[in-house]
Amino acid sequence: MIGRIARLIDFRIDERLRDLNGRVNDLEHATADHRRRLDGAESGLEHARGDLRWTRAELDRLIPSVAAQEAQLEDLRESLSLPVHADKPELAEARSLIQEIQRQHAQIRVRLAGIARYEDRLRRIEDRQRDTIEQTQ
């Protein structure tokens, strides 16, 4: 009788251990999957940070050019507001120069707008990845 009870207890313990071992295996696989996904997210985040550093460097490089062109444009506006005592070729050359500066200024504004959109996109990606990381913790 005692042997039978001992076998029943052993059977129940083995059954519970199998269940626990199965759950531990499932958790180990889930943990490995989460680690793999986290590594991928961190890699993507580092890539995005590199892109952001490049974008910042490009922006820092472009800002002085934009400022210089704005100063040139303002100087030209001031000179055009003064009474002009010049012949027609000089006026045509001045107008041509103003148009070229305005064209370049417009191009720079488009580039800066693109950079701003790109930085916003990177910020949203970083926010999503941070949220994902926080959810897995």
Side-chain angles (χ1 to χ4, degrees), residues 64-83:
S65 297
V66 172
Q69 285 190 346
E70 285 179 344
Q72 285 179 337
L73 188 58
E74 190 56 37
D75 289 345
L76 283 173
R77 281 187 185 133
E78 287 176 9
S79 70
L80 288 178
S81 67
L82 299 174

Side-chain angles (χ1 to χ4, degrees), residues 1-14:
M1 177 77 165
I2 291 183
R4 191 171 167 191
I5 293 173
R7 283 192 305 275
L8 180 62
I9 291 172
D10 287 344
F11 176 77
R12 294 289 181 195
I13 290 173
D14 287 343

Side-chain angles (χ1 to χ4, degrees), residues 4 19 25-26 64 80 82-83 93-94 117 122-123 136:
R4 191 171 167 191
D19 289 344
N25 280 339
D26 291 344
L80 288 178
L82 299 174
E93 183 181 349
R117 283 192 307 272
L122 287 175
R123 181 192 54 76
T136 58

Side-chain angles (χ1 to χ4, degrees), residues 45-97:
L45 183 59
E46 191 54 41
H47 181 70
R49 284 184 180 137
D51 288 347
L52 185 58
R53 283 190 292 271
W54 178 85
T55 302
R56 172 47 73 189
E58 286 297 303
L59 186 60
D60 290 344
R61 185 181 64 81
L62 287 173
I63 286 174
S65 297
V66 172
Q69 285 190 346
E70 285 179 344
Q72 285 179 337
L73 188 58
E74 190 56 37
D75 289 345
L76 283 173
R77 281 187 185 133
E78 287 176 9
S79 70
L80 288 178
S81 67
L82 299 174
V84 178
H85 302 292
D87 59 4
K88 290 207 179 240
E90 288 176 344
L91 285 175
E93 183 181 349
R95 284 192 178 106
S96 173
L97 182 59

